[in-house]
Amino acid sequence: MVLITLEGIDGSGKSTLFASLQRALSDLSPVFTREPGATWIGDQVRRAIADEVDPVTEALLFAADHAAHLDTVIRPALASGRTVISDRYTDSRYAYQWATLEGVLPDPLTWLRQVHDGWTIPPDHTLLLVLPVEVALSRKKDAGKKEHFEEASLLARVQENYLRLAGEEPARFVVADAEMKEGELASFAEGVIREWCESSRSRRRR
Ligand code: TYD
């Protein structure tokens, strides 16, 4: 029972990686899940993003989706001893909403942490995909209408925030170069996740 999260800016290739991990790690039978969107609240969050609600409302909606996600997916899966792999999780809020709440609240990260305090489950391990923002945006450019998150200056701040979070907790984060070829990145990620699962099993045996 280990909680693993995948993080990275829009266009980092996270969703493609997530899909190949679903195939590559099927022997471990993990629960694959995502934020936003694992619950009906996630659908409302997507609507709110599309409508561009104010940043505090948006942050609280993402947090509400997280609470429902914990209740309906994460806690039951961990309680039954399953490994959970989530495409985005709390660090998405810390990185994105830290950026969108800059200038709105005096200390967005502290506020975001307080909002989660006492009920969230921190991830055991996080794989963070990092790449130049221009490369990420060029991958997204043909993908239809842009969400407001997909602006170069915002994504640059979000990625900086992710790296600050990773710097605070080097034992939890592995930072991967998302410019690697798709197959190379997938086998790198598979190897790292298998090691995390193995070390959690051997800790439990001790
Ligand atoms: P999603 O559609 O899952 O995008 P991706 O495929 O890049 O993961 O997520 C929608 C957007 O919501 C994405 O730009 C990241 C953003 N987001 C936040 O700003 N805060 C959050 O807490 C989460 C979970 C996502």
Side-chain angles (χ1 to χ4, degrees):
M1 125 198 167
V2 54
L3 174 57
I4 293 167
T5 60
L6 299 185
E7 296 283 356
I9 59 172
D10 298 65
S12 59
K14 197 172 43 55
S15 303
T16 312
L17 175 63
F18 189 73
S20 38
L21 290 173
Q22 282 178 300
R23 292 187 293 274
L25 296 171
S26 58
D27 59 301
L28 301 177
S29 308
V31 172
F32 284 96
T33 184
R34 62 171 309 178
E35 288 187 13
T39 69
W40 67 266
I41 296 172
D43 297 334
Q44 303 310 307
V45 175
R46 282 180 192 285
R47 253 183 75 186
I49 299 171
D51 280 357
E52 306 210 4
V53 296
D54 86 276
V56 173
T57 307
E58 187 172 80
L60 293 172
L61 282 169
F62 278 123
D65 176 55
H66 179 61
H69 188 208
L70 283 173
D71 186 47
T72 57
V73 180
I74 306 278
R75 277 184 215 288
L78 293 175
S80 66
R82 307 278 297 277
T83 291
V84 177
I85 303 180
S86 186
D87 178 358
R88 296 199 181 283
Y89 195 75
T90 310
D91 294 304
S92 282
R93 235 114 41 241
Y94 293 168
Y96 280 79
Q97 274 62 56
W98 183 358
T100 57
L101 290 168
E102 206 77 68
V104 176
L105 298 177
D107 182 352
L109 182 60
T110 302
W111 182 81
L112 287 161
R113 284 186 163 145
Q114 283 166 351
V115 165
H116 288 78
D117 193 28
W119 56 271
T120 191
I121 302 176
D124 297 299
H125 303 283
T126 299
L127 182 66
L128 171 61
L129 304 186
V130 170
L131 80 175
V133 169
E134 322 74 84
V135 177
L137 281 173
S138 71
R139 290 180 180 176
K140 297 291 288 187
K141 82 171 180 291
D142 301 322
K145 185 177 174 295
K146 276 195 174 31
E147 283 166 352
H148 61 283
F149 297 113
E150 294 164 16
E151 298 295 334
S153 59
L154 180 68
L155 283 189
R157 291 208 311 281
V158 171
Q159 182 153 271
E160 210 176 287
N161 292 345
Y162 269 131
L163 290 169
R164 283 146 96 181
L165 296 167
E168 276 182 17
E169 287 184 77
R172 169 159 73 89
F173 280 86
V174 165
V175 179
D177 173 8
E179 282 195 289
M180 257 189 265
K181 287 206 185 70
E182 207 177 294
E184 274 174 47
L185 180 61
S187 39
F188 173 77
E190 181 189 342
V192 167
I193 292 174
R194 284 190 186 279
E195 264 175 42
W196 285 335
C197 292
E198 188 44 50
S199 66
S200 133
R201 264 197 298 276
S202 50
R203 266 200 310 277
R204 280 204 307 280
R205 277 198 296 268
R206 263 189 254 131

